[in-house]
Structure formats: C-alpha cells, structure tokens
Amino acid sequence: MIIRGKSLFLRPLEIQDAEKLSELGDDMTIYKFTHIPLPFTVRKAEEYILRSNQLMRKGRRFRLGIVLQETGELVGTLGLEIEMPGEHKARLFYWMGKPYRGRGYVTEACRMLISYAFSELGLGKIIIRCATDNRASQRVIQKLGGKLEGILRKDSFIAGKWRDALYHGLLKEEWVYADKHMQEKMEVMIQDGR
Ligand SMILES: CC(C)(COP(=O)(O)OP(=O)(O)OC[C@H]1O[C@@H](n2cnc3c(N)ncnc32)[C@H](O)[C@@H]1OP(=O)(O)O)[C@@H](O)C(=O)NCCC(=O)NCCS
C-alpha cells in the first residue's frame, strides 16, 4: 500500500529502514509524547518495524513511513489503530524526526492518511489523543480541523510521568467539507502485495 500526496508519500516500513528510523526516533521529545523507547537503538527499531507489519497484516494497526517525494528520504512515521475490529473509528498517531519538523509534513501526511481512512477503509471517525502540554501536536490537530471532545485524566504513563490527554475527534462528514476547502490534490495508489 502506498499513499501518494503532493510532496510526500506514505509506505509500509521495511527492515532496511531500521538504521534511519533509529536515528530519527532516538529523541527526548518523541520519547516524552509517544511509546517509542529511549534509547531507540537499531535493534529496537527493527522490532518496531516487524511488530508494525505483523499488526498491519491483521488489519488492526496501520503504521507507515513518511517519505519525501523528491529525495526518497524517510522522515517520520504515522499510523492508525483500530482498537476493536469492526469499529468505525480509529486512533491516529504520528511522530517526525527533529530536523524535519515545522515544515508542515505531519499535517500533510495526516491529511493523506485520514482521506484514505474515510474513503478506502470505510471509517467514520478519527480520534487523536495528545498530552495537554504537547503544543506542536495540538497545532497539528487544529490545522486538521479536529474538535476537542474532552480531557482524559491520567491517560498515559510515559517517561516516568502520568499525563492528561486532550481527546479530539474528526468526523467523515466534516472531513468532506474540510477537504473541499483545502483543495488537496491527493492520489491514492494501492499496490497489490505491499
Ligand atoms: C508533533 C509533531 C509530530 C509535529 O510534526 P511537524 O512535522 O513539525 O508538524 P507540522 O509542521 O505539520 O505542524 C507543526 C505546527 O506546530 C507548531 N509548533 C511547533 N512547536 C510548537 C510549540 N511549542 N507551541 C506551539 N506551536 C508549535 C508549528 O509552528 C506548526 O504550526 P504552523 O504550521 O502553524 O507554523 C512533532 O513535533 C513531533 O514528532 N513531536 C514529538 C512526537 C509527538 O509529539 N507526537 C505526537 C503525539 S500526540
């Protein structure tokens, strides 16, 4: 499965990505706000890739690499987790390597994956949970048009600390509206066997 956008494409992670993934993910901010361990060694990155692809085959979790169209460089990852099989909703998660942040890549990648989830996976709602002190992620959610639905107290224990989370939702019907106004030019390519 490859999802192509304007400046990025999303593709499944491959074992050969482990070194680059470890380089990108071995970072305090990522550790603080995600479940990526620190240090994120090449060995850990390999396990992460193998587990991701296993869960993807079961249709439970889609974790894809974010790749620059121009250079083919892997710069981050994002994914969707369908907590209960058959549910109409999935949780969106993402992280970006430090040198590539602030260029709009995660927002673009999320738009591509959300459009894919609504049009190809038949989902009706995307959920995004982010820590109350994660300003960059909150800005991404705002740009995507996520609506705040509540605050989850002591939602996760990460990096030695309990964290409250903001719970945001995006509905398919709202997305059609947002998409029209963003005039995103997105091409979805599903390639057999990937
Ligand atoms: C959150 C994260 C994925 C954003 O990636 P990114 O590629 O920089 O995202 P974008 O460039 O699309 O958008 C980031 C926005 O946040 C803004 N931002 C960054 N740091 C900020 C801060 N401290 N306070 C407020 N806004 C901030 C940027 O200016 C940008 O907004 P703009 O386009 O209006 O200028 C990245 O910072 C990251 O990987 N963080 C660590 C892991 C993480 O937090 N994952 C999400 C868990 S919920």
Side-chain angles (χ1 to χ4, degrees), residues 41 51 55 58 68 74 96 98 115 120 140 179:
T41 59
R51 206 175 51 247
L55 287 166
K58 289 186 184 161
L68 302 185
L74 178 70
M96 173 60 51
K98 198 171 180 178
S115 297
E120 304 297 324
V140 168
D179 237 0

Side-chain angles (χ1 to χ4, degrees), residues 124-176:
K125 179 171 182 171
I126 299 295
I127 293 156
I128 315 173
R129 287 207 306 250
C130 90
T132 47
D133 57 345
N134 191 346
R135 304 275 172 239
S137 185
Q138 282 167 41
R139 178 71 188 126
V140 168
I141 297 166
Q142 188 186 33
K143 289 194 284 181
L144 293 173
K147 299 265 188 299
L148 182 65
E149 297 186 359
I151 298 178
L152 306 170
R153 295 177 302 157
K154 280 194 165 182
D155 185 55
S156 53
F157 189 78
I158 301 183
K161 199 178 151 199
W162 280 106
R163 290 171 190 279
D164 293 348
L166 301 174
Y167 184 101
H168 294 87
L170 260 159
L171 302 181
K172 185 176 179 178
E173 52 273 30
E174 294 169 353
W175 189 250
V176 172

Side-chain angles (χ1 to χ4, degrees), residues 27 29-30 33-34 94-97 100-108 128-131 134-137 139-140 143:
D27 169 75
T29 317
I30 294 176
F33 293 123
T34 71
Y94 40 78
W95 60 263
M96 173 60 51
Y100 307 97
R101 289 182 199 151
R103 303 186 199 180
Y105 291 150
V106 162
T107 308
E108 184 187 345
I128 315 173
R129 287 207 306 250
C130 90
N134 191 346
R135 304 275 172 239
S137 185
R139 178 71 188 126
V140 168
K143 289 194 284 181

Side-chain angles (χ1 to χ4, degrees), residues 58-61 81-90 123:
K58 289 186 184 161
R60 287 277 312 281
R61 189 188 288 169
E81 173 140 38
I82 300 169
E83 282 163 10
M84 297 282 285
E87 267 194 349
H88 82 123
K89 61 178 193 256
L123 296 176

